[in-house]
Amino acid sequence: MEFFDTHFHYEGDLSPQVIAKEAAAEGVQYLACIGGDYNSSLEAMKFAEAVENCYFTAGVHPHYAANEKWDAEKFKILLSHPKCKAVGEVGLDFYYENSAKELQLKIFQCFCKLSASLHKPVVVHCRDKDNCFDAYNLVYDILSEYVSDGIGSFVIHCYTGNLEWMMKFLDIGGYIGITGIVTFPKAENVRELLVRIPDNKLLIETDSPYLAPKPFRGKTNYPKYLKYVAHEVARLKGLSIEEIAEITTENALNFYSIGTV
Ligand SMILES: [Zn+2]
């Protein structure tokens, strides 16, 4: 059985070798280390270079949009690395609004344009205030524009929105990422959404070091805990854990164009 943790962040508490070895011992053979600003994208690159079957992404998370001066050239260098498989994590976060909305929007558009020109998929973060959909609307409009313009594909990672928006993102070719939130007692909405995701559009992820699944909730999360997400996904989908491993790993390899080009 082989799993692919399609989304984790490296924060340096353990070495890349230890994280990858512990993950592999739990069946998590493939990893995608996600950048959140220029420096963490560089760290993600070093992580990916240090271990086999690990890839990385480069981008600026909406939380950090205000801290980054847009510089396409320096990101283009990272994005041309053979192990760099996507632009991300980019998007809009109107829930925390750590950066002004206009800045978030500008950085997100710049990265979508860049990914379209490089034909790279995009790892998207989208969060809105409860019962508000401004961020979803804008993310959807921007992705629709660039999907027809060359973005390989995109994933709405850690999806916690409603069914209607999920269907819209699926309709324009998006993937949906499911994290350990699916194991949280109050996340009934995520469990209901999960069963509506077509098997070929489902990605699983830890988003570690955040969002540790039950029974590690509140503790530091690691890629090795992906199987707790996978077990819950398998249970809800009525599939075996082996089937979930096969389906989601194949999807991840397709999404990141690994071994397919
Ligand atoms: Zn993330």
Side-chain angles (χ1 to χ4, degrees):
M1 238 187 339
E2 290 185 334
F3 291 103
F4 195 138
D5 184 357
T6 58
H7 191 121
F8 83 99
H9 301 272
Y10 180 51
E11 303 239 312
D13 62 331
L14 298 173
S15 73
Q17 287 81 0
V18 168
I19 288 179
K21 199 174 153 197
E22 289 184 354
E26 298 293 335
V28 186
Q29 304 292 343
Y30 296 94
L31 304 171
C33 190
I34 306 295
D37 61 9
Y38 183 70
N39 285 336
S40 65
S41 299
L42 261 186
E43 290 305 312
M45 178 189 79
K46 289 181 200 156
F47 191 113
E49 284 175 342
V51 295
E52 239 187 297
N53 294 333
C54 180
Y55 304 88
F56 76 102
T57 71
V60 176
H61 191 287
H63 286 347
Y64 309 115
N67 309 352
E68 288 279 340
K69 221 174 112 257
W70 173 243
D71 182 346
E73 292 313 310
K74 70 179 187 182
F75 276 100
K76 269 189 197 165
I77 295 169
L78 287 180
L79 288 161
S80 66
H81 188 291
K83 284 193 141 185
C84 188
K85 297 297 183 185
V87 165
E89 173 172 359
V90 296
L92 300 178
D93 192 313
F94 292 175
Y95 182 81
Y96 288 108
E97 215 181 318
N98 288 354
S99 293
K101 287 179 181 174
E102 306 74 57
L103 284 172
Q104 294 187 33
L105 200 54
K106 182 176 163 251
I107 292 281
F108 180 47
Q109 282 173 312
C110 287
F111 273 109
C112 286
K113 201 170 164 188
L114 189 57
S115 83
S117 72
L118 299 171
H119 304 293
K120 294 262 186 198
V122 189
V123 177
V124 180
H125 173 107
C126 184
R127 196 159 177 209
D128 226 317
K129 290 220 184 316
D130 295 342
N131 303 316
C132 287
F133 299 97
D134 292 354
Y136 287 92
N137 250 309
L138 289 161
V139 163
Y140 177 82
D141 284 348
I142 293 165
L143 288 172
S144 312
E145 179 187 344
Y146 287 106
V147 157
S148 55
D149 214 19
I151 286 179
S153 185
F154 65 89
V155 57
I156 307 292
H157 109 91
C158 191
Y159 189 76
T160 54
N162 66 17
L163 179 64
E164 188 190 339
W165 277 106
M166 186 175 91
M167 290 305 180
K168 288 179 74 134
F169 288 121
L170 286 166
D171 277 348
I172 55 168
Y175 287 73
I176 302 294
I178 293 292
T179 61
I181 289 180
V182 75
T183 69
F184 295 177
K186 284 188 183 153
E188 202 49 55
N189 62 322
V190 176
R191 287 185 284 276
E192 282 167 13
L193 289 168
L194 169 78
V195 294
R196 304 292 297 271
I197 305 172
D199 286 350
N200 66 346
K201 292 295 178 183
L202 170 66
L203 298 178
I204 55 172
E205 52 170 299
T206 58
D207 203 15
S208 55
Y210 318 106
L211 300 176
K214 227 171 61 174
F216 303 101
R217 193 166 176 192
K219 302 210 169 77
T220 303
N221 195 7
Y222 294 99
K224 67 181 171 185
Y225 296 149
L226 186 66
K227 68 174 182 185
Y228 295 93
V229 180
H231 272 287
E232 185 62 4
V233 167
R235 186 183 74 79
L236 292 162
K237 281 245 180 202
L239 295 170
S240 68
I241 188 75
E242 288 82 7
E243 285 168 319
I244 284 298
E246 201 180 317
I247 289 166
T248 56
T249 299
E250 190 185 330
N251 292 345
L253 294 170
N254 285 335
F255 174 74
Y256 283 123
S257 295
I258 295 164
T260 55
V261 283

